[in-house]
Amino acid sequence: MMVTRIYADEDGESHFAELNIPLRKAGEIGALSELFPVKDIIFRETGRDYDYTWHNAPCRQFVLMLEGSVEIEVSDGARRIFHSGDILLVEDTTGRGHISKAVNGQPRKSVFVTLA
């Protein structure tokens, strides 16, 4: 299963990378990943005017996009738009961080799963 990773390099600059989470066959129930130790789950809704300037992730966390879209810019200048069904692994807890903002004036619903 592919997820997009946001991370900071040794110089504190943030980047996107694709990360493949391996799945193994689990019989009739499908395919499963290995367990990820998690700490908390946060349900979030952002408004149609959401525009959050440079910030770091407060901790390593998965972001599961449920509804709406978000544009994220990392410090190397790359920008990507993520939509419902996309999964992010946000790890830029240090360095310059990233910018996130609403797309097309639409609200967004997402779930944050913080890693232990």
Side-chain angles (χ1 to χ4, degrees), residues 50-70:
Y50 178 77
D51 189 356
Y52 194 22
T53 192
W54 292 107
H55 65 282
N56 296 102
C59 61
R60 292 180 64 236
Q61 57 193 353
F62 281 106
V63 178
L64 315 174
M65 297 289 298
L66 299 179
E67 188 176 301
S69 301
V70 64

Side-chain angles (χ1 to χ4, degrees), residues 5-8 19 57 59-61 89-94 115:
R5 178 179 178 228
I6 300 174
Y7 70 97
L19 177 66
C59 61
R60 292 180 64 236
Q61 57 193 353
L89 173 58
V90 185
E91 299 183 298
D92 62 337
T93 59
T94 62
L115 299 174

Side-chain angles (χ1 to χ4, degrees), residues 2-40:
M2 294 300 291
V3 302
T4 300
R5 178 179 178 228
I6 300 174
Y7 70 97
D9 65 20
E10 295 169 353
D11 296 325
E13 297 298 323
S14 56
H15 308 277
F16 293 115
E18 299 308 310
L19 177 66
N20 182 36
I21 297 178
L23 304 177
R24 60 177 167 71
K25 292 181 182 179
E28 294 179 17
I29 64 168
L32 302 173
S33 73
E34 295 297 321
L35 294 174
F36 283 84
V38 299
K39 182 178 176 195
D40 298 300

Side-chain angles (χ1 to χ4, degrees), residues 40-44 61-66 88 108-114:
D40 298 300
I41 186 167
I42 302 163
F43 298 89
R44 181 177 185 190
Q61 57 193 353
F62 281 106
V63 178
L64 315 174
M65 297 289 298
L66 299 179
L88 302 162
R108 172 175 50 111
K109 293 181 181 177
S110 53
V111 175
F112 290 62
V113 180
T114 64

